[in-house]
Amino acid sequence: MPDFTHSPVMVAEVLAALRPTPGGWWTDGTIGGGGHAAALLAASSPDGWLYGCDRDDAAVEAAKRRLTEFSGRFEVRQGNFADLAEWVPPSSCDGVLLDLGVSSPQLDVAERGFSFQQDGPLDMRMDRRQAVTAESLLNEASAEELAKVFWELGGERQARRLARAIARERECRRFVTTRQLAEFIEQLVPRHGRKMHPATRVFQAIRMVVNDEAGSLQRGLAGALRILKSGGRLAVITFHSQEDRIVKDFGRARARDYTFTGGMDVPELRAPCAPEVKWVQRKAIRPSVVEVAANPRSRSAQLRVMEKLGEACRLTGRKEPVGTSG
Ligand SMILES: C[S@@+](CC[C@H](N)C(=O)[O-])C[C@H]1O[C@@H](n2cnc3c(N)ncnc32)[C@H](O)[C@@H]1O
């Protein structure tokens, strides 16, 4: 069995946010190596239940191995958390966790192609059953599409310049390895003593597109609300500003009064709706100095927590504002 070691971040903070108790039901949409899931199951002993999923087959296998001591108390599947509401019963869970991004094994195993620190194939798929890889995207998307991706998902200031240079270069040679791409970018954007590798943002952006991370997150947040009970909590850990903004915008929109349009912009069908969630804590929770020292990969983590409120659309009598869900 291949080794799969990932140190879960902010475990104490996640437990404080989700408040596991015996008999409760929890969902971990990014089960990874099962660290958070094990903590939730231990804290909800003897009979707490956990649904878990991950897009990565290696993570699913690792999590199942990690959770053997809790056997009979969990169901773990390979899949996208965007689809949680398709198999986890509605309004059943006391807490849902999404710990976004990649796991340490995904970064450290060169063949997965996520990291510019290792030389491997340009892959970056979390779910290796899917067709699109970093290589196919980088070699087949137009320069305009690449520039948009680098700018919008990576926040890369030199997005256009890099995209055009990649498009020119691939007329002579295909981009196939992580090192080839990282070195190519480093030639165009020298480091000038900066700590961050100049390819960091481009790698992040490509990874986000290959795995449709923004779209999955939008759908996953909406699905998480569907499977939560009233009073249940959603905890989301993000690792960069693009994904944190999606969580913040989602929470903000669902925490205020809004207008339900029945899916159509017809004035007669408009009805005011009550907020669906409240923030448990307005500001993001950060890892402690001690945790960052022990696990430097936790340094950019931010935890946001919201709580599902009761009946959302009182005037329409609907439990769910279907027309506004992601
Ligand atoms: C930071 S790790 C999670 C680690 C986990 N909390 C633990 O305790 O080991 C992130 C995991 O989320 C998975 N992932 C990312 N996006 C996903 C999605 N949309 N659906 C399911 N899993 C996803 C990745 O494959 C990776 O295994």
Side-chain angles (χ1 to χ4, degrees), residues 4 6-9 11 28-38 53-56 59-60 66 79-83 97-104 106 112 114 126-127 211-213 216-217 237 239:
F4 190 108
H6 175 87
S7 302
V9 304
V11 176
D28 184 341
T30 50
I31 203 158
H36 286 110
C53 75
D54 201 291
R55 295 177 88 171
D56 188 332
V60 168
R66 172 80 189 263
N80 190 330
F81 59 61
D83 303 324
L97 171 66
L98 301 178
D99 174 18
L100 303 176
V102 283
S103 63
S104 300
Q106 285 168 334
R112 302 301 304 266
F114 281 98
M126 289 179 185
D127 184 339
N211 297 290
D212 183 26
E213 291 182 37
S216 296
L217 182 53
I237 301 175
F239 289 87

Side-chain angles (χ1 to χ4, degrees), residues 106-110 112-121 124 178-179 182 203 297:
Q106 285 168 334
L107 282 175
D108 297 341
V109 175
R112 302 301 304 266
F114 281 98
S115 170
F116 47 78
Q117 318 267 17
Q118 322 267 349
D119 193 18
M124 298 197 201
T178 51
R179 178 155 305 152
F203 268 68
R297 280 185 181 163

Side-chain angles (χ1 to χ4, degrees), residues 27-317:
T27 290
D28 184 341
T30 50
I31 203 158
H36 286 110
L40 285 166
L41 283 165
S44 62
S45 288
D47 55 355
W49 173 265
L50 182 119
Y51 291 107
C53 75
D54 201 291
R55 295 177 88 171
D56 188 332
D57 55 330
V60 168
E61 288 316 308
K64 284 183 180 163
R65 285 199 300 277
R66 172 80 189 263
L67 299 180
T68 42
E69 63 180 291
F70 303 104
S71 132
R73 292 179 52 204
F74 64 85
E75 179 181 345
V76 175
R77 298 185 179 189
Q78 183 181 4
N80 190 330
F81 59 61
D83 303 324
L84 275 173
E86 289 173 16
W87 60 283
V88 176
S91 305
S92 62
C93 293
D94 298 276
V96 175
L97 171 66
L98 301 178
D99 174 18
L100 303 176
V102 283
S103 63
S104 300
Q106 285 168 334
L107 282 175
D108 297 341
V109 175
E111 292 72 47
R112 302 301 304 266
F114 281 98
S115 170
F116 47 78
Q117 318 267 17
Q118 322 267 349
D119 193 18
L122 274 168
D123 189 325
M124 298 197 201
R125 288 169 302 171
M126 289 179 185
D127 184 339
R128 288 178 274 191
R129 297 170 300 186
Q130 77 174 45
V132 177
T133 62
E135 182 184 333
S136 63
L137 178 87
L138 201 67
N139 289 290
E140 286 151 33
S142 67
E144 291 71 30
E145 283 164 343
L146 287 179
K148 190 167 183 291
V149 163
F150 296 166
W151 171 245
E152 288 180 5
L153 298 177
E156 171 56 60
R157 290 208 195 128
Q158 311 229 29
R160 271 222 200 118
R161 179 170 163 247
L162 291 179
R164 281 198 204 120
I166 288 169
R168 268 196 309 275
E169 180 73 7
R170 71 193 184 188
E171 286 170 15
C172 314
R173 57 171 189 154
R174 197 173 164 84
F175 283 92
V176 286
T177 70
T178 51
R179 178 155 305 152
Q180 182 192 359
L181 176 62
E183 286 178 357
F184 182 73
I185 293 175
E186 199 167 7
Q187 276 167 22
L188 293 167
V189 188
R191 271 197 201 207
H192 295 309
R194 275 188 302 259
K195 229 172 142 196
M196 192 169 100
H197 192 288
T200 305
R201 295 179 195 282
V202 166
F203 268 68
Q204 175 191 302
I206 296 174
R207 191 196 90 201
M208 287 189 75
V209 180
V210 167
N211 297 290
D212 183 26
E213 291 182 37
S216 296
L217 182 53
Q218 305 268 14
R219 291 197 288 134
L221 292 169
L225 281 198
R226 267 179 240 137
I227 62 172
L228 276 175
K229 292 176 181 164
S230 296
R233 289 185 171 183
L234 169 60
V236 190
I237 301 175
T238 62
F239 289 87
H240 56 78
S241 57
Q242 277 78 8
E243 55 191 17
D244 186 52
R245 195 178 54 223
I246 295 174
V247 178
K248 252 187 337 201
D249 288 350
F250 177 87
R252 263 197 214 130
R254 305 283 174 136
R256 39 170 200 252
D257 294 342
Y258 62 96
T259 301
F260 174 72
T261 64
M264 293 169 281
D265 205 13
V266 179
E268 307 82 75
L269 291 181
R270 283 172 175 267
C273 295
E276 286 174 277
V277 301
K278 69 172 185 191
W279 289 110
V280 170
Q281 191 174 319
R282 201 150 279 280
K283 277 188 76 176
I285 302 161
R286 311 293 305 250
S288 67
V289 177
V290 175
E291 176 164 5
V292 174
N295 176 14
R297 280 185 181 163
S298 69
R299 67 185 175 279
S300 45
Q302 301 200 67
L303 168 64
R304 291 191 188 270
V305 189
M306 49 194 114
E307 189 170 302
K308 181 173 172 178
L309 299 173
E311 202 70 355
C313 284
R314 295 192 192 100
L315 291 182
T316 58

